[in-house]
């Protein structure tokens, strides 16, 4: 867990940014690789695991429920699973730190085991809504004792055997989808998730990769029906985790807005449910090229080269949102220095992330000199037309790694430094971020 002590930092324009880098492993895939390995019988190996605080919270929780999880080298981990149905009663509360993904997915796993677990987290996580997973998991028979508003700390009393359900997602959330599917692993019969708006599909891919009987059918209306046969037997796997496109977005946007820059990020996950950010940047005129395209561990991967570009404002179609849901903060930075107006909508989910990302980005960008209008479900930004922003202000990161990194990137193209009140949350997903950015600037 990162220290409770805030760590302020200041980001001045440095550059041009040049070089070739590799970002840490994908956070979503890292969580899932530990969870599924811990439920397989036998030894799995994971390479390229993100060793950020969020993923370490998942590792600690799976250990507390009986799995053996060891680090064998940099990003290399060995996991001995307990088998589906074999999770043990944790002896203490599971501390999820800042991690919503750990919390919601593990609530699903616990829900169909005959164990009771208490989930706790930091101030940010304790504000986030858990009702969205409590609702479907109550339908399978699990019981919950949550803090007011369906929040952490909360206790889950799992049930075995659970009742299989067919659940239509009321919110476009891969975490809710995954919680139901993971609960379905130890539930007799077929668990179905109906997904009207597609979200990241790493759970589906990885469950199938571990040998679960899972099918996905897309009906005539584009609605996905994901069916999982329960009481699954998972076979141990060797997994290579691709680089996180959500992390790659930071150096990519930094290169695009910093004159003279050319940065290549290698081994980036290009799963189409994740690459909305690159498509929208290209729609703004970004010079992005992809090379070395290949499949790694069932996921498409490529090297991405970003060169400084004159960006133009666009209207982002709301249906693109799920495929770039975590990238809006840094996308807003790009929009702030583009030519013309960028309009975003349909982004209510951004208000319940690690922070209220619409409010935080609107406030922070405004104090550093950008022209931003905050609406209920999005931001409207009138870009500076390539001019640096003023900077010379301190912004709040509110325990949100992506807010902190977005303002570090914004500092690249300001007249004066941008200060962030606390950059310690960056360690949840991208512990090497600051060193990597300094390296690209030749610092
Ligand atoms: C994630 C899903 C998304 C995303 C989060 C990771 C996942 O959350 O924002 O960072 O790994 O399933 P939602 O399901 O709440 O959209």
């Amino acid at each position: 867990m990162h220290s409770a002590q805030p760590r302020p930092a200041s980001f001045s324009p440095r550059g041009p940014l040049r070089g070739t880098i590799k970002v840490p492993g994908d956070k979503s895939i890292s969580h899932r690789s530990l969870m599924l390995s811990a439920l397989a019988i036998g030894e799995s190996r994971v390479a390229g695991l993100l060793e950020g605080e969020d993923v370490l919270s998942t590792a600690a929780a799976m250990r507390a429920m009986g799995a053996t999880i060891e680090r064998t080298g940099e990003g290399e981990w060995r996991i001995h699973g307990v088998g589906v149905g074999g999770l043990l009663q944790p002896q203490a509360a599971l501390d999820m730190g800042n991690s919503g993904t750990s919390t919601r997915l593990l609530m699903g796993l616990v829900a169909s085991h005959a164990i009771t677990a208490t989930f706790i987290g930091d101030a940010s996580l304790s504000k986030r809504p858990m009702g969205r997973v409590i609702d479907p998991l109550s339908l399978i028979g699990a019981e919950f004792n949550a803090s007011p508003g369906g929040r952490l700390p909360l206790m889950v009393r799992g049930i075995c055997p659970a009742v299989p359900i067919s659940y239509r997602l009321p919110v476009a959330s891969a975490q809710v989808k995954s919680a139901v599917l993971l609960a379905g692993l130890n539930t007799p019969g077929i668990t179905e998730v109906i997904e009207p708006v597609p979200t990241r599909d790493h759970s589906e891919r990885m469950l199938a990769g571990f040998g679960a009987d899972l099918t996905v059918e897309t009906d005539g209306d584009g609605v996905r029906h994901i069916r999982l046969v329960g009481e699954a037997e998972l076979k141990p796997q060797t997994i290579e985790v691709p680089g996180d496109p959500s992390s790659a977005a930071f150096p990519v946007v930094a290169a695009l807005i910093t004159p003279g820059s050319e940065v290549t990020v290698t081994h980036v996950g290009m799963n189409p449910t994740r690459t909305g950010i690159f498509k929208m940047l290209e729609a703004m005129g970004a010079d992005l090229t992809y090379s070395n395209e290949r499949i790694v561990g069932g996921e498409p991967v490529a090297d991405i080269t970003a060169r400084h570009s004159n960006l133009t404002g666009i209207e982002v179609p709301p249906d693109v949102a799920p495929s770039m849901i975590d990238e809006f903060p840094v996308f807003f930075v790009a929009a702030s220095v583009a030519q013309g107006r960028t309009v975003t909508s349909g982004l209510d989910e951004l208000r319940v992330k690690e922070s209220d990302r619409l409010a935080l980005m609107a406030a922070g960008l405004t104090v550093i000199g950008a022209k931003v209008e905050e609406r209920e479900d999005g931001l409207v930004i009138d870009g500076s037309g390539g001019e640096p922003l003023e900077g010379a202000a301190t912004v709040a990161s509110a325990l949100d790694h992506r807010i902190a990194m977005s303002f570090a990137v914004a500092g690249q193209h300001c007249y004066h430094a941008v200060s962030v009140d606390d950059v310690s949350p960056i360690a949840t997903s991208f512990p090497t971020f600051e060193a990597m950015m300094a390296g690209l600037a030749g610092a």
Side-chain angles (χ1 to χ4, degrees):
M1 299 302 110
H2 76 264
S3 76
Q5 207 53 29
R7 184 165 65 83
S10 203
F11 300 92
S12 320
R14 287 184 299 196
L17 303 175
R18 294 190 160 266
T20 297
I21 54 172
K22 198 170 165 188
V23 294
D26 188 276
K27 185 153 72 70
S28 294
I29 296 175
S30 294
H31 283 299
R32 288 159 173 80
S33 66
L34 290 179
M35 291 179 195
L36 294 191
S37 297
L39 288 175
I41 296 182
E43 180 179 298
S44 292
R45 286 179 178 261
V46 183
L49 188 88
L50 166 62
E51 295 175 334
E53 289 167 357
D54 280 10
V55 176
L56 299 181
S57 296
T58 289
M62 295 315 298
R63 277 195 198 106
M65 291 190 282
T68 304
I69 303 182
E70 299 163 319
R71 183 176 192 265
T72 53
E74 206 187 315
E76 291 181 10
W77 292 66
R78 184 164 56 201
I79 300 106
H80 271 274
V82 294
V84 169
L87 292 181
L88 303 177
Q89 170 78 44
Q91 293 308 306
L94 302 175
D95 189 348
M96 302 287 95
N98 189 252
S99 179
T101 309
S102 310
T103 310
R104 295 188 176 125
L105 272 55
L106 291 176
M107 283 170 68
L109 278 185
V110 169
S112 61
H113 281 74
I115 59 177
T116 296
T118 298
F119 291 86
I120 59 172
D122 72 5
S124 153
L125 186 58
S126 302
K127 285 189 211 146
R128 299 182 66 186
M130 297 300 153
R132 55 182 61 197
V133 279
I134 292 175
D135 290 348
L137 298 176
S138 299
L139 295 175
I140 74 166
E143 289 177 2
F144 294 84
N145 194 345
S147 300
R151 295 188 158 75
L152 262 50
L154 67 74
M155 197 189 74
V156 185
R157 184 171 299 114
I159 178 133
C160 187
V163 180
I165 56 169
S166 172
Y167 190 69
R168 190 181 175 93
L169 294 173
V171 55
S173 165
Q175 293 178 354
V176 178
K177 166 175 67 177
S178 303
V180 176
L181 291 175
L182 291 178
L185 276 176
N186 196 40
T187 300
I190 295 175
T191 293
E192 181 185 42
V193 178
I194 302 170
E195 188 179 51
V197 180
T199 64
R200 66 190 67 194
D201 64 357
H202 305 301
S203 294
E204 294 94 302
R205 287 176 190 242
M206 201 180 282
L207 281 164
F210 270 84
D213 184 348
L214 177 138
T215 53
V216 182
E217 223 178 274
T218 305
D219 69 21
D221 298 326
V223 176
R224 296 175 80 234
H225 296 251
I226 307 151
R227 296 186 189 97
L228 173 74
V229 179
E231 299 182 309
E233 259 188 49
L234 302 186
K235 294 177 206 65
Q237 300 296 310
T238 299
I239 298 170
E240 191 183 338
V241 181
D244 198 327
S246 299
S247 297
F250 295 102
V252 163
V253 170
L256 293 175
I257 67 172
T258 308
S261 297
E262 177 170 333
V263 170
T264 297
V265 190
T266 62
H267 203 252
V268 181
M270 295 296 292
N271 180 316
T273 62
R274 298 287 300 282
T275 49
I277 178 69
F278 305 124
K279 293 189 191 114
M280 288 304 106
L281 289 169
E282 284 176 321
M284 296 173 87
D287 180 353
L288 298 180
T289 49
Y290 306 91
S291 55
N292 207 4
E293 292 177 55
R294 58 210 185 272
I295 301 286
V296 173
E299 294 274 351
V301 165
D303 300 346
I304 304 180
T305 299
R307 294 176 195 84
H308 172 253
S309 306
N310 296 318
L311 301 176
T312 308
I314 56 165
E315 187 156 337
V316 178
D319 61 348
V320 177
S323 67
M324 59 181 289
I325 196 69
D326 291 334
E327 287 67 69
F328 279 99
V330 77
F331 177 78
F332 295 144
V333 172
S336 296
V337 296
Q339 175 76 47
R341 173 168 284 200
T342 294
V343 181
T344 59
S345 60
L347 303 182
D348 322 65
E349 275 294 300
L350 292 198
R351 296 205 182 270
V352 291
K353 295 292 179 188
E354 286 83 329
S355 68
D356 177 341
R357 288 182 172 161
L358 291 180
L360 264 282
M361 288 308 299
L365 286 170
T366 302
V367 295
I368 65 171
K371 293 198 185 71
V372 183
E373 181 201 333
E374 180 183 346
R375 294 183 178 166
E376 203 42 55
D377 67 339
L379 300 186
V380 176
I381 300 178
D382 285 304
S384 67
E387 271 292 297
L389 300 174
E390 185 59 24
T394 299
V395 299
S397 64
L399 291 178
D400 188 334
H401 52 137
R402 299 197 206 283
I403 299 289
M405 289 187 276
S406 296
F407 284 108
V409 169
Q412 272 299 129
H413 201 49
C414 285
Y415 286 114
H416 306 286
V418 173
S419 298
V420 178
D421 67 346
D422 183 14
V423 293
S424 66
I426 293 174
T428 61
S429 70
F430 199 163
T432 51
F433 172 78
E434 286 165 274
M436 195 170 278
M437 292 298 291
L440 287 175

